[in-house]
């Protein structure tokens, strides 16, 4: 594999720092710091001053090649976590870590030790949290202090309930904007298609059931998850067991699913792409999936089809807000009430975004990206009392651990 080719592609993209971790000549993991320009200083754990820092999940995933792995972590760090923080006004940077599934499968213990050493190398620049393939119980296996998202006192570090809260605040806003509800707690005349019955999806389905949704179509590629949903909700929801590996989308009952009023994607990214967009018939899309659009242009194409979607990072930021409260409290306690207050402000933010989108005839995601980019650019020239530091060079480091 010609690794220098992958690196030269990276240099054309936005990021602040890239750290690639190798062992015995093989790349095992990467951390990308999207940007720390928005970060203020924090006192952390035993009084260590973190002068600029970035939060992001640790993702375990199978990657077909290094190029896909590096672009995934970069996009999640910059267009995902950094934009999320910028959009909601959190004074912290965005980052992500990914490590290869096959390495974990070979020897989980050694893998945890490797992750510890990789994160410690950055000395608090990167603070890891839960992500796909790295649930809270796995975070407990790590020894590095630079982790947010572990349970703390009585409080679980699981961000999913807060992510679901931000998804539902955004969904209520979307339904109001589309004039589809008079009572935001009553969904009895609406149909939904939910993709993914994992940490976020299962809470989303529970909330839809609670609000009396008329019909819910649920798709998960894992048959055990479908069986679990069947046990919980019986004939209340229509289950789609199979999915199409070609498009990573619904296959069984495709026709019916497409006709649901609202699509709630809570599984994989890139689900709005050139193959799915032309067949979608939803009135709106609002879910937790990161990197919802395969390429930027897909948001515009969806908008042209008059399907209203507030985007990904404007919607799924609740988990980050909750995790951030731990950092604000020197890593000693979560503050769920403060997180909920901050998340509920999404109503106004998303409503403004949708109105701007209508006025400017642009996709909400495009407008949100422009807003986030503007905030990052302004932070670079802002007086530095609050915003501590910024990097004007890109750094790529390869660590042999
Ligand atoms: P999870 O791993 O717990 O659940 C994902 C579910 O999707 C699994 O049940 C999996 O079997 C299913 N799935 C995977 N591919 C699928 C496909 N093609 N079709 C149908 N089902 C499929 O993940 P999660 O924590 O629930 O996160 C879901 C999405 O939300 C991810 O994109 C994640 O990045 C994003 N997100 C999660 C949080 C959070 O707080 N957990 C925060 C922000 C964003």
């Amino acid at each position: 594999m010609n690794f220098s080719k992958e690196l030269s592609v990276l240099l054309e993209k936005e990021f602040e720092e890239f750290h690639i971790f190798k062992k015995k000549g093989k790349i095992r993991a990467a951390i990308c710091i999207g940007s720390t320009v928005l970060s203020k200083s924090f006192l952390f754990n035993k009084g260590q001053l973190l002068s600029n820092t970035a939060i992001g999940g640790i993702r375990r995933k199978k990657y077909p090649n290094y190029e896909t792995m590096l672009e995934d972590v970069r996009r999640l760090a910059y267009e995902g976590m950094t934009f999320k923080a910028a959009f909601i006004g959190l004074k912290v940077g965005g980052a992500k870590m990914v490590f290869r599934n096959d390495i974990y499968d070979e020897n989980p213990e050694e893998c945890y030790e490797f992750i510890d050493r990789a994160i410690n190398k950055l000395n608090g620049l990167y603070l890891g949290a839960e992500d796909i393939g790295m649930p809270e119980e796995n975070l407990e296996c790590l020894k590095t202090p630079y982790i947010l998202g572990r349970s703390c006192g009585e409080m679980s570090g699981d961000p999913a309930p807060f992510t679901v809260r931000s998804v539902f605040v955004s969904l209520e806003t979307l339904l109001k904007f589309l004039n589809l509800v008079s009572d935001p707690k009553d969904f009895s005349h609406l149909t939904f298609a939910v993709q993914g019955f994992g940490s976020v999806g299962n809470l989303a389905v529970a909330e839809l059931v609670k609000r009396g949704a008329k019909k819910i179509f649920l798709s998960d590629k894992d048959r055990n998850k479908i069986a679990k949903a069947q046990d919980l909700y019986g004939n209340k929801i229509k289950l789609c067991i199979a999915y199409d590996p070609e498009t990573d989308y619904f296959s069984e009952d495709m026709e019916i699913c497409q006709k649901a009023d609202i699509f709630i994607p809570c599984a994989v990214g890139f689900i709005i792409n050139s193959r799915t967009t032309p067949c979608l018939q939803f009135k709106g899309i609002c879910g937790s999936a990161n990197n919802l659009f395969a390429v930027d242009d897909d948001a515009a194409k969806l908008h042209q089809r008059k399907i209203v979607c507030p985007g990904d990072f404007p919607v799924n930021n609740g988990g980050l807000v909750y995790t951030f409260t731990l950092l604000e409290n020197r890593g000693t306690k979560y503050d769920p009430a403060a997180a909920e207050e901050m998340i509920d402000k999404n109503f106004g933010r998303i409503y403004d975004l949708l109105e701007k989108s209508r006025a400017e005839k642009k996709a909400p995601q495009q407008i949100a990206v422009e807003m986030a980019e503007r905030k990052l650019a302004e932070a670079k020239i802002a007086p530095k009392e609050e915003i501590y530091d910024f990097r004007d060079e890109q750094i790529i480091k390869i660590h042999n651990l």
Side-chain angles (χ1 to χ4, degrees), residues 26-28 99-108 111:
K26 271 194 176 168
I27 294 176
R28 296 184 150 211
F99 67 98
R100 286 171 34 200
N101 211 7
D102 49 332
I103 305 289
Y104 179 84
D105 290 344
E106 269 169 33
N107 188 340
C111 184

Side-chain angles (χ1 to χ4, degrees), residues 59 84 132 159-160 163 195-201 219-222 225 243 248 266-268 288-290 316:
R59 181 167 290 201
K84 231 180 259 195
I132 291 174
T163 302
Q195 189 185 35
F197 195 63
S199 310
V200 178
S219 154
D220 197 298
K221 72 180 193 184
D222 179 344
K225 297 276 174 66
Y243 84 106
D248 235 359
C266 297
V268 281
S288 72
N290 277 314
N316 65 13

Side-chain angles (χ1 to χ4, degrees), residues 3 8 21 33 57 72 86 114 116-117 123 130 144 184 203 222-223 229 233 244 246 273 275 277 289 342 349 366 399:
F3 190 57
S8 61
F21 300 94
I33 307 296
D72 195 37
F114 186 84
D116 276 333
R117 281 197 287 141
N123 202 26
E130 194 177 306
T144 171
L203 296 175
D222 179 344
R223 281 170 187 269
Y233 302 111
D244 180 355
E246 271 283 299
N273 55 49
R275 278 183 291 190
T277 306
M342 231 186 287
R349 277 191 288 263
Q366 286 174 284
H399 307 262

Side-chain angles (χ1 to χ4, degrees), residues 73-94:
V73 67
R74 191 207 64 79
R75 213 177 135 166
L76 288 162
Y78 191 75
E79 279 93 346
M81 299 304 288
T82 301
F83 281 4
K84 231 180 259 195
F87 185 75
I88 44 184
L90 292 187
K91 293 207 163 70
V92 70

